[in-house]
Amino acid sequence: MDAPTAAQESLPLSSDALLAQLDAWGLSYVLHQHVPLRTVEESKAVEDDLLVPGETALRLKNLYLRDRKKRNYLVSLQQDREIDLKALGAQLGVGGLSFGSEERLMEHLGIRPGAVTPLAMINGAPKGVRFFMDAEAQTADRIYMHPLVNDRTVAMPRADFMTFCGKIGIAPEWI
């Protein structure tokens, strides 16, 4: 199933409502509209139109995972990082990592496949989802992420993203 803006009203929190909340909190971002993007390869095809020359940008790939005990994790990594789930589980200190189902993704993060994003922690934090983020985010000028749908991308300054995390009561666990 696709995750475009046209289907946002079926989400627990719509993309428009998320953007309105970011505005209400005084967070800055640039909103980009584009074709639906589900993979890193598709994202790379449009990223030249989004990036600001000279900035240190963090473009993400996001993994919604669960462990053997059915605990939920959102892992946001630099898009070109290689992933080995067994090694990642060891690094996170959890065993038996696997991808969460589409149903669990909606239940715990309020989004559809293809739109996984750190911004979904606005739904995931109250449900106990643990959030891990690439340590590269600590030096990025701007972080690029979907606002709960996959035909939009927000480019948010790192400081504003960290303020967002504080507003929703989480601190990224750096990996």
Side-chain angles (χ1 to χ4, degrees):
M1 175 178 263
D2 252 341
T5 303
Q8 71 174 314
E9 295 308 319
S10 64
L11 301 175
L13 179 69
S14 72
S15 180
D16 289 344
L18 170 68
L19 296 174
Q21 184 61 69
L22 297 178
D23 292 340
W25 285 335
L27 302 179
S28 64
Y29 60 87
V30 175
L31 177 64
H32 300 278
Q33 309 267 357
H34 47 70
V35 298
L37 305 172
R38 294 182 56 98
T39 67
V40 169
E41 291 74 31
E42 290 173 356
S43 297
K44 285 182 175 186
V46 302
E47 68 187 21
D48 285 344
D49 295 334
L50 309 181
L51 300 178
V52 175
E55 77 176 358
T56 303
L58 180 63
R59 296 172 311 275
L60 299 172
K61 69 174 151 193
N62 302 282
L63 310 171
Y64 171 63
L65 304 168
R66 59 178 275 193
D67 65 15
R68 283 189 203 110
K69 296 181 181 179
K70 298 186 180 179
R71 293 176 296 199
N72 298 281
Y73 306 89
L74 175 58
V75 180
S76 296
L77 301 169
Q78 192 277 340
Q79 70 181 4
D80 291 323
R81 242 173 114 176
E82 293 293 322
I83 302 297
D84 172 331
L85 286 184
K86 188 173 182 178
L88 181 61
Q91 185 178 4
L92 304 183
V94 300
L97 282 179
S98 63
F99 290 97
S101 69
E102 185 174 331
E103 293 77 23
R104 288 180 68 86
L105 179 63
M106 180 59 77
E107 177 184 348
H108 294 280
L109 290 177
I111 53 176
R112 291 193 179 81
V116 181
T117 172
L119 296 174
M121 286 302 296
I122 198 166
N123 297 316
K127 296 186 183 245
V129 176
R130 282 181 69 189
F131 177 51
F132 292 90
M133 186 156 204
D134 198 308
E136 280 190 35
Q138 296 175 88
T139 59
D141 296 324
R142 200 173 300 270
I143 301 170
Y144 287 75
M145 25 190 184
H146 291 311
L148 310 180
V149 295
N150 68 351
D151 60 353
R152 291 176 169 174
T153 294
V154 295
M156 183 178 284
R158 173 182 26 90
D160 288 276
F161 176 71
M162 295 308 298
T163 299
F164 166 81
C165 290
K167 293 279 189 188
I168 64 170
I170 65 166
E173 296 181 61
W174 303 108
I175 56 172

